[in-house]
Amino acid sequence: MAESESTALHRRRFLKGVVIAGGATIATPAAVQAQAPDKPAGNASPPSAAARANEREHPPEADRLTTEKTGSDFMVDVCKTLNLDYMAACPGSTFRGLQESFINYGQNKRPEWLTCMHEEVAVGMAHGYAKVAGKPMAAIVHGTVGTQHAAMGIYNAFCDRVPVIVFTGNAGALDERRPGVEWFHSVQDAASTVRDFVKWDDYPMSLQHFAESTVRGYTLACAQPPGPVFITADTRLQEEPLDEREQRKLQIPLSVASSPPAGDPNALREAAKMLVAAEAPVIIADRYARSQAAMDNLVKLAELLQAPVIDNRSRMNMPNTHYLCQSERAGGLIAQADCILSLEPVDLYGQLNVMRDQLERTVSPKTGKGVKVISISTRDLLVHSNYQDFQRYVGVDINITADAQTTLPSLIEAVQREAVPGGNTTIEMRGRKMREAYRGFADRARAEAALAWDASPISSARMYMELWEHLKKEDWALVSDSDFSSNWPHRLWPLEKHYRFIGGSGGYGVGYQPVAALGAALAHRDAGGHVVVSITGDGEFNMAPHTLWTAAHHGIPYPVSYTHLTLPTILRV
């Protein structure tokens, strides 16, 4: 401790005497006596002077058991070895030991404790943060009820393949559970509610076990494909005293990031031959880019082939100001393609086929006969049985199970080796056609936006154009999806940098947008210099209006969400 015990407020022995901290006073029995009424209520006889003296000298809570070091302190030490800046939670008693240790022992730094009004906000906030910061944020949920609250947020993160570290507390030893509520909030298998949609879970049985599982969980959450992990911190492990001899035995393993899987060189050579030989190649990018370098590599590959890129916008993949970004022509391009390269597809079957949603559902291909399909994706590395986020199976010509972002530089080299020296007239002609097709995109979008310019209430197209007048001179980031506003920002605004857009929820769970926007705004605040904007429908916002409290309480410049027919406020981070 920084001060001696004689002068400092002792961490766990502050119940003795009168303590004044932060304006609050804990009174001694003598002080309580001075405040007591002279005449007791009812017909009971007042206690005698001897009885009062005995109560003062022997209060019922005479045995105060405290300790200066607990298991939760060591758990905080473990978390501090990881690259975790924040820990979000709606406070709960199953992790009271951890919360106390993070605040007092850990001095509320790396990770910093963020208070939320709902567990789904805590997890959703971590979801949005990770997509901007490129690293996980942690959330703690309260026992059985908190896990159930958080389930939809965890599912969104799983479907969106985003790393989130989720902790929960649980009173595992039944003979130590307090009667009543602690039984309702405890469980034999804490992860059973969410096991089908987390990447990994564990219930450590010792502090050493907790250290190894937490480091393992962090590594697994970040490994490609990423996803949420779920770790249970037993209340006994949190609150039991930890003496120096036991502490010396504990070891925290080093966290080492896993190298993302790269594509097989032989398969990449075959893919390059197929792409270079194609007359009408098309690239479809889905959950592909995690960095500006990944965007730049996609542009490089597209330019080598002069192939149009269809950005499905699960991430910010392709600058929409580049003439090869031809997302608005997706249907026609796929129909004419003789070779399709799909990068991290969320639904490869849906990219290649269409189903009519009628009484009798019929399927027809979007592609022509004989089209060759190449897929580079990690989707086969994280498939669970019960929750069917993996979509229908598609047999492709070349299936490269690898991280597309890591693999693309090698594919670019293979394409360069296969290209004809001195240029290819077919590729050059294709490029000219792409430029001609692109010239009309912006003009058509502006003409369509003008159709209902004077409508009342204001049209979503006009809202985005009016908002652009404020944004165009700023370094901005859109941290909400645009599916429910006709994708106007993608059609009207220039999206050229990786941080301009973060994609959608993954699992389509309602309420994601306001809470993910809060986490994204936090990450942009730490990065500095970006104006953050969120445009959120009223249905989404009504799921979590208390998100505003967390933003105000922790000083996060939050893009306040409104219905998508109302002009939003933009806030400088």
Side-chain angles (χ1 to χ4, degrees), residues 119-121 123-128 131 149-164 166 194 196-198 226-228 287 314-315 346 382 387 389 481 502-516 540 543:
E119 282 86 357
E120 192 176 331
V121 174
V123 175
M125 188 177 178
H127 184 167
K131 290 211 282 188
H149 271 167
M152 191 171 79
I154 296 172
Y155 185 61
N156 275 336
F158 177 79
C159 293
D160 203 22
R161 300 298 186 261
V162 172
V164 176
V166 183
V194 298
D196 283 328
F197 45 90
V198 295
R287 201 159 44 208
S314 293
R315 298 291 188 270
V346 174
L382 185 56
Y387 283 81
D389 70 302
D481 205 352
I502 63 172
S505 65
Y508 298 91
V510 180
Y512 158 87
Q513 290 197 11
V515 297
E540 286 270 343
M543 285 285 182

Side-chain angles (χ1 to χ4, degrees), residues 288-301 311 316-320 405 408 495-500:
Y288 158 71
R290 302 187 299 276
S291 66
Q292 186 62 44
M295 285 185 65
D296 296 341
N297 282 330
L298 180 56
V299 170
K300 187 173 184 179
L301 177 63
D311 190 345
M316 181 68 231
N317 297 306
M318 183 74 176
N320 66 350
Q405 175 173 296
L408 217 63
L495 287 89
E496 301 169 313
K497 298 178 182 179
H498 177 254
Y499 59 81
R500 292 281 192 242

Side-chain angles (χ1 to χ4, degrees), residues 373-424:
V373 179
I374 305 163
S375 172
I376 305 177
S377 174
T378 54
R379 69 186 186 281
D380 292 341
L381 300 178
L382 185 56
V383 176
H384 289 179
S385 300
N386 191 30
Y387 283 81
Q388 308 279 292
D389 70 302
F390 46 78
Q391 311 290 331
R392 289 188 67 174
Y393 180 80
V394 179
V396 299
D397 296 273
I398 300 179
N399 184 26
I400 302 174
T401 300
D403 176 39
Q405 175 173 296
T406 303
T407 300
L408 217 63
S410 298
L411 178 59
I412 290 171
E413 292 179 4
V415 168
Q416 288 172 330
R417 287 193 295 267
E418 291 295 328
V420 177
N424 186 308

Side-chain angles (χ1 to χ4, degrees), residues 349-357 362-367:
Y349 184 88
Q351 290 179 3
L352 306 177
N353 300 277
V354 62
M355 176 179 285
R356 298 181 69 186
D357 187 11
T362 57
V363 176
S364 58
K366 296 179 182 178
T367 59

Side-chain angles (χ1 to χ4, degrees), residues 474-496:
E474 305 286 354
D475 193 2
W476 55 274
L478 177 64
V479 294
S480 58
D481 205 352
S482 60
D483 283 351
F484 291 101
S485 52
S486 303
N487 288 313
W488 282 118
H490 294 276
R491 299 166 66 188
L492 297 172
W493 297 359
L495 287 89
E496 301 169 313

